[in-house]
Amino acid sequence: MGEFRAEIKGRIKEIRQSLQAAQAAGDEDLADVHMSELEDLHRIAARNGVDTGCG
């Protein structure tokens, strides 16, 4: 489970950075895609008991 936890948290960090970059560039479509990805990752994490530090 440790490897899964690390992978999920790493992906969340990557997607957050990509989301911020898309927002800074004014690319709302890409920002929406990244937001959906984040929601999916948080849902997967919660379903598997991984605390991502976010609500």
Coordinates of all heavy atoms in Angstrom, one line a residue:
M1 N 0.8 -1.2 0.0 CA 0.0 0.0 0.0 C 0.9 1.3 0.0 O 0.4 2.3 -0.5 CB -0.9 0.0 1.2 CG -1.9 1.1 1.2 SD -3.0 1.2 -0.2 CE -4.6 1.0 0.6
G2 N 2.1 1.2 0.5 CA 2.9 2.3 0.6 C 3.3 2.9 -0.8 O 3.3 4.1 -1.0
E3 N 3.5 2.0 -1.7 CA 3.8 2.4 -3.1 C 2.6 3.1 -3.7 O 2.7 4.1 -4.4 CB 4.3 1.2 -3.9 CG 4.8 1.6 -5.3 CD 5.4 0.4 -6.0 OE1 5.9 -0.5 -5.4 OE2 5.3 0.5 -7.3
F4 N 1.4 2.5 -3.5 CA 0.2 3.1 -4.1 C 0.0 4.5 -3.5 O -0.3 5.4 -4.2 CB -1.0 2.2 -3.7 CG -2.3 2.8 -4.2 CD1 -2.7 2.8 -5.5 CD2 -3.1 3.4 -3.2 CE1 -3.9 3.3 -5.9 CE2 -4.4 3.9 -3.6 CZ -4.7 3.9 -4.9
R5 N 0.2 4.6 -2.2 CA 0.0 5.9 -1.5 C 0.9 7.0 -2.1 O 0.5 8.1 -2.4 CB 0.2 5.7 0.0 CG 0.0 7.0 0.8 CD 0.2 6.7 2.3 NE -1.0 6.0 2.8 CZ -1.0 4.8 3.3 NH1 0.2 4.1 3.4 NH2 -2.1 4.2 3.7
A6 N 2.2 6.6 -2.3 CA 3.2 7.5 -2.8 C 2.8 7.9 -4.2 O 3.0 9.1 -4.6 CB 4.6 6.9 -2.8
E7 N 2.4 6.9 -5.0 CA 2.0 7.2 -6.4 C 0.8 8.2 -6.5 O 0.8 9.1 -7.3 CB 1.7 5.9 -7.2 CG 1.4 6.1 -8.6 CD 2.6 6.6 -9.5 OE1 3.7 6.3 -9.1 OE2 2.3 7.2 -10.5
I8 N -0.2 7.9 -5.8 CA -1.4 8.7 -5.8 C -1.1 10.2 -5.4 O -1.5 11.1 -6.0 CB -2.5 8.1 -4.9 CG1 -3.7 7.5 -5.6 CG2 -3.1 9.0 -3.9 CD1 -4.4 7.9 -6.7
K9 N -0.3 10.3 -4.3 CA 0.1 11.6 -3.8 C 1.0 12.3 -4.8 O 0.8 13.5 -5.0 CB 0.8 11.5 -2.4 CG -0.2 11.2 -1.3 CD 0.5 11.2 0.0 CE -0.5 11.1 1.2 NZ 0.1 11.4 2.4
G10 N 1.9 11.6 -5.5 CA 2.7 12.2 -6.5 C 1.9 12.7 -7.7 O 2.1 13.8 -8.2
R11 N 0.9 11.9 -8.1 CA 0.1 12.3 -9.2 C -0.8 13.5 -8.9 O -0.9 14.4 -9.7 CB -0.9 11.2 -9.6 CG -0.2 10.0 -10.4 CD 0.3 10.5 -11.7 NE -0.8 10.9 -12.6 CZ -0.8 11.8 -13.5 NH1 0.3 12.5 -13.7 NH2 -1.9 12.1 -14.2
I12 N -1.3 13.6 -7.6 CA -2.0 14.7 -7.2 C -1.2 16.0 -7.2 O -1.6 17.0 -7.7 CB -2.6 14.5 -5.8 CG1 -3.8 13.5 -5.9 CG2 -3.1 15.8 -5.2 CD1 -4.3 13.0 -4.6
K13 N 0.1 15.9 -6.8 CA 1.0 17.0 -6.8 C 1.2 17.5 -8.2 O 1.2 18.7 -8.5 CB 2.3 16.6 -6.1 CG 3.3 17.8 -6.0 CD 4.5 17.4 -5.3 CE 5.6 18.5 -5.4 NZ 6.8 18.1 -4.7
E14 N 1.5 16.5 -9.1 CA 1.7 16.9 -10.5 C 0.5 17.5 -11.2 O 0.7 18.6 -11.9 CB 2.0 15.6 -11.3 CG 3.4 15.0 -11.0 CD 3.5 13.6 -11.7 OE1 2.7 13.3 -12.6 OE2 4.4 12.9 -11.3
I15 N -0.7 17.0 -10.9 CA -1.9 17.6 -11.5 C -2.2 19.0 -11.0 O -2.6 19.9 -11.7 CB -3.1 16.6 -11.4 CG1 -2.8 15.3 -12.1 CG2 -4.4 17.3 -11.9 CD1 -2.6 15.4 -13.6
R16 N -1.9 19.2 -9.7 CA -2.1 20.5 -9.1 C -1.2 21.5 -9.8 O -1.6 22.6 -10.1 CB -1.8 20.5 -7.6 CG -2.9 20.0 -6.7 CD -2.6 20.2 -5.3 NE -3.6 19.6 -4.5 CZ -3.4 18.9 -3.4 NH1 -2.1 18.7 -2.9 NH2 -4.4 18.4 -2.7
Q17 N 0.1 21.1 -10.0 CA 1.0 22.0 -10.7 C 0.5 22.3 -12.1 O 0.6 23.5 -12.6 CB 2.4 21.4 -10.7 CG 3.0 21.4 -9.3 CD 4.3 20.6 -9.2 OE1 4.6 19.8 -10.1 NE2 5.1 20.8 -8.2
S18 N 0.1 21.3 -12.8 CA -0.4 21.5 -14.2 C -1.7 22.4 -14.2 O -1.9 23.2 -15.1 CB -0.8 20.1 -14.8 OG 0.4 19.4 -14.9
L19 N -2.5 22.2 -13.2 CA -3.7 23.0 -13.0 C -3.3 24.5 -12.8 O -3.9 25.4 -13.5 CB -4.6 22.6 -11.9 CG -5.8 23.4 -11.5 CD1 -6.8 23.6 -12.6 CD2 -6.5 22.9 -10.2
Q20 N -2.4 24.7 -12.0 CA -2.0 26.1 -11.7 C -1.4 26.7 -13.0 O -1.6 27.9 -13.3 CB -0.9 26.1 -10.6 CG -1.6 25.9 -9.2 CD -0.5 25.7 -8.1 OE1 0.6 25.5 -8.4 NE2 -1.0 25.8 -6.9
A21 N -0.6 25.9 -13.7 CA 0.0 26.4 -15.0 C -1.1 26.8 -16.0 O -1.0 27.8 -16.7 CB 1.0 25.4 -15.5
A22 N -2.1 25.9 -16.1 CA -3.2 26.1 -17.1 C -3.9 27.4 -16.7 O -4.3 28.2 -17.5 CB -4.1 24.9 -17.1
Q23 N -4.2 27.6 -15.4 CA -4.9 28.8 -14.9 C -4.1 30.0 -15.2 O -4.6 31.0 -15.7 CB -5.2 28.6 -13.4 CG -6.3 27.6 -13.2 CD -6.5 27.3 -11.7 OE1 -5.5 27.4 -10.9 NE2 -7.7 27.0 -11.3
A24 N -2.8 29.9 -14.9 CA -1.9 31.1 -15.2 C -1.8 31.5 -16.6 O -1.7 32.6 -17.0 CB -0.5 30.8 -14.6
A25 N -2.0 30.5 -17.5 CA -1.9 30.7 -18.9 C -3.3 31.1 -19.5 O -3.4 31.4 -20.7 CB -1.4 29.4 -19.7
G26 N -4.3 31.1 -18.6 CA -5.6 31.4 -19.1 C -6.3 30.3 -19.9 O -7.3 30.6 -20.6
D27 N -5.9 29.1 -19.8 CA -6.4 28.0 -20.6 C -7.5 27.3 -19.7 O -7.2 26.4 -19.0 CB -5.3 27.0 -21.0 CG -5.8 26.0 -22.0 OD1 -7.1 25.7 -22.0 OD2 -5.0 25.4 -22.7
E28 N -8.7 27.8 -19.8 CA -9.8 27.3 -18.9 C -10.2 25.9 -19.3 O -10.6 25.1 -18.4 CB -11.0 28.3 -19.0 CG -10.7 29.6 -18.3 CD -10.3 29.5 -16.8 OE1 -10.9 28.7 -16.1 OE2 -9.3 30.2 -16.5
D29 N -10.1 25.5 -20.5 CA -10.5 24.2 -20.9 C -9.5 23.2 -20.3 O -9.9 22.1 -19.7 CB -10.5 24.0 -22.4 CG -11.6 24.7 -23.1 OD1 -12.7 25.0 -22.4 OD2 -11.5 25.1 -24.3
L30 N -8.2 23.5 -20.4 CA -7.2 22.6 -19.8 C -7.3 22.6 -18.3 O -7.2 21.5 -17.7 CB -5.8 23.0 -20.2 CG -4.7 22.1 -19.8 CD1 -4.9 20.6 -20.3 CD2 -3.3 22.6 -20.3
A31 N -7.6 23.7 -17.7 CA -7.8 23.8 -16.3 C -9.0 22.9 -15.8 O -8.9 22.2 -14.8 CB -8.0 25.2 -15.8
D32 N -10.0 22.9 -16.6 CA -11.2 22.0 -16.3 C -10.8 20.6 -16.3 O -11.2 19.8 -15.5 CB -12.3 22.3 -17.3 CG -13.0 23.6 -17.0 OD1 -12.8 24.2 -15.9 OD2 -13.8 24.1 -17.9
V33 N -10.0 20.2 -17.3 CA -9.6 18.8 -17.4 C -8.7 18.4 -16.2 O -9.0 17.4 -15.6 CB -8.7 18.6 -18.7 CG1 -8.0 17.2 -18.7 CG2 -9.6 18.7 -20.0
H34 N -7.8 19.3 -15.8 CA -7.0 19.0 -14.6 C -7.8 18.9 -13.4 O -7.6 18.1 -12.5 CB -5.9 20.0 -14.5 CG -4.8 19.9 -15.6 ND1 -4.3 18.7 -16.0 CD2 -4.2 20.9 -16.3 CE1 -3.4 19.0 -17.0 NE2 -3.3 20.3 -17.2
M35 N -8.8 19.8 -13.3 CA -9.7 19.8 -12.1 C -10.4 18.5 -12.0 O -10.5 17.9 -10.9 CB -10.7 21.0 -12.1 CG -11.5 21.1 -10.9 SD -10.6 21.4 -9.4 CE -10.1 23.1 -9.6
S36 N -10.9 18.0 -13.1 CA -11.6 16.7 -13.2 C -10.7 15.6 -12.8 O -11.0 14.6 -12.0 CB -12.2 16.4 -14.5 OG -13.2 17.3 -14.8
E37 N -9.4 15.6 -13.2 CA -8.4 14.6 -12.9 C -8.2 14.6 -11.4 O -8.1 13.6 -10.7 CB -7.1 14.9 -13.6 CG -7.2 14.5 -15.1 CD -5.8 14.8 -15.8 OE1 -5.6 16.0 -16.0 OE2 -5.1 13.8 -16.0
L38 N -8.1 15.8 -10.8 CA -7.8 15.9 -9.4 C -9.0 15.3 -8.6 O -8.8 14.6 -7.6 CB -7.7 17.4 -9.0 CG -6.3 18.0 -9.0 CD1 -6.3 19.5 -8.6 CD2 -5.3 17.2 -8.1
E39 N -10.2 15.6 -9.0 CA -11.4 15.1 -8.3 C -11.4 13.6 -8.4 O -11.7 12.9 -7.4 CB -12.7 15.6 -9.0 CG -12.9 17.1 -8.7 CD -14.0 17.7 -9.5 OE1 -14.6 17.0 -10.4 OE2 -14.3 18.9 -9.3
D40 N -11.0 13.0 -9.5 CA -10.9 11.5 -9.7 C -9.9 11.0 -8.8 O -10.1 9.9 -8.1 CB -10.6 11.1 -11.1 CG -11.8 11.4 -12.1 OD1 -12.9 11.6 -11.6 OD2 -11.5 11.4 -13.3
L41 N -8.7 11.6 -8.7 CA -7.6 11.1 -7.9 C -8.0 11.2 -6.4 O -7.7 10.2 -5.6 CB -6.3 11.9 -8.2 CG -5.6 11.6 -9.5 CD1 -4.6 12.6 -9.8 CD2 -5.1 10.2 -9.5
H42 N -8.6 12.2 -6.0 CA -9.1 12.3 -4.6 C -10.1 11.3 -4.3 O -10.1 10.7 -3.2 CB -9.6 13.7 -4.3 CG -8.5 14.7 -4.1 ND1 -7.7 14.8 -3.0 CD2 -8.0 15.7 -4.9 CE1 -6.8 15.7 -3.0 NE2 -7.0 16.3 -4.2
R43 N -11.0 11.0 -5.2 CA -12.0 10.0 -5.0 C -11.3 8.6 -4.9 O -11.7 7.8 -4.0 CB -13.0 10.0 -6.2 CG -14.3 9.4 -5.9 CD -15.4 9.6 -7.0 NE -15.0 10.1 -8.3 CZ -15.1 11.4 -8.6 NH1 -15.6 12.3 -7.8 NH2 -14.7 11.8 -9.8
I44 N -10.4 8.3 -5.7 CA -9.7 7.0 -5.7 C -8.9 6.9 -4.3 O -8.9 5.8 -3.7 CB -8.7 6.9 -6.9 CG1 -9.5 6.7 -8.1 CG2 -7.7 5.7 -6.7 CD1 -8.7 6.9 -9.4
A45 N -8.2 8.0 -4.0 CA -7.5 8.0 -2.7 C -8.4 7.7 -1.5 O -8.1 6.9 -0.7 CB -6.8 9.3 -2.5
A46 N -9.5 8.4 -1.5 CA -10.5 8.2 -0.4 C -11.0 6.8 -0.3 O -11.1 6.2 0.8 CB -11.6 9.2 -0.5
R47 N -11.3 6.3 -1.5 CA -11.9 4.9 -1.5 C -10.9 3.9 -1.0 O -11.2 2.8 -0.6 CB -12.3 4.6 -3.0 CG -13.0 3.3 -3.1 CD -13.6 3.2 -4.5 NE -12.7 3.6 -5.6 CZ -13.0 4.3 -6.7 NH1 -14.2 4.7 -6.9 NH2 -12.1 4.6 -7.6
N48 N -9.6 4.2 -1.1 CA -8.5 3.3 -0.7 C -7.9 3.7 0.6 O -6.8 3.2 1.0 CB -7.5 3.2 -1.8 CG -8.0 2.4 -3.0 OD1 -8.0 1.2 -2.9 ND2 -8.4 3.1 -4.0
G49 N -8.5 4.7 1.3 CA -8.0 5.0 2.7 C -6.7 5.8 2.7 O -6.0 5.9 3.7
V50 N -6.5 6.5 1.6 CA -5.3 7.4 1.5 C -5.6 8.8 1.9 O -6.5 9.4 1.2 CB -4.7 7.3 0.1 CG1 -3.5 8.3 0.0 CG2 -4.2 5.9 -0.3
D51 N -5.0 9.3 2.9 CA -5.2 10.7 3.3 C -4.4 11.6 2.5 O -3.1 11.5 2.5 CB -4.8 10.9 4.8 CG -5.1 12.3 5.3 OD1 -5.7 13.1 4.6 OD2 -4.6 12.6 6.4
T52 N -5.0 12.5 1.7 CA -4.3 13.4 0.8 C -4.0 14.7 1.4 O -3.4 15.6 0.8 CB -5.0 13.5 -0.6 OG1 -6.3 14.1 -0.3 CG2 -5.2 12.2 -1.3
G53 N -4.5 14.9 2.6 CA -4.3 16.2 3.3 C -5.3 17.3 2.8 O -5.2 18.4 3.2
C54 N -6.3 16.9 2.0 CA -7.3 17.8 1.5 C -8.7 17.3 1.8 O -8.8 16.1 1.9 CB -7.1 18.1 0.0 SG -5.6 18.8 -0.5
G55 N -9.6 18.2 1.9 CA -11.0 17.8 2.2 C -11.7 17.2 1.1 O -11.6 16.7 0.1

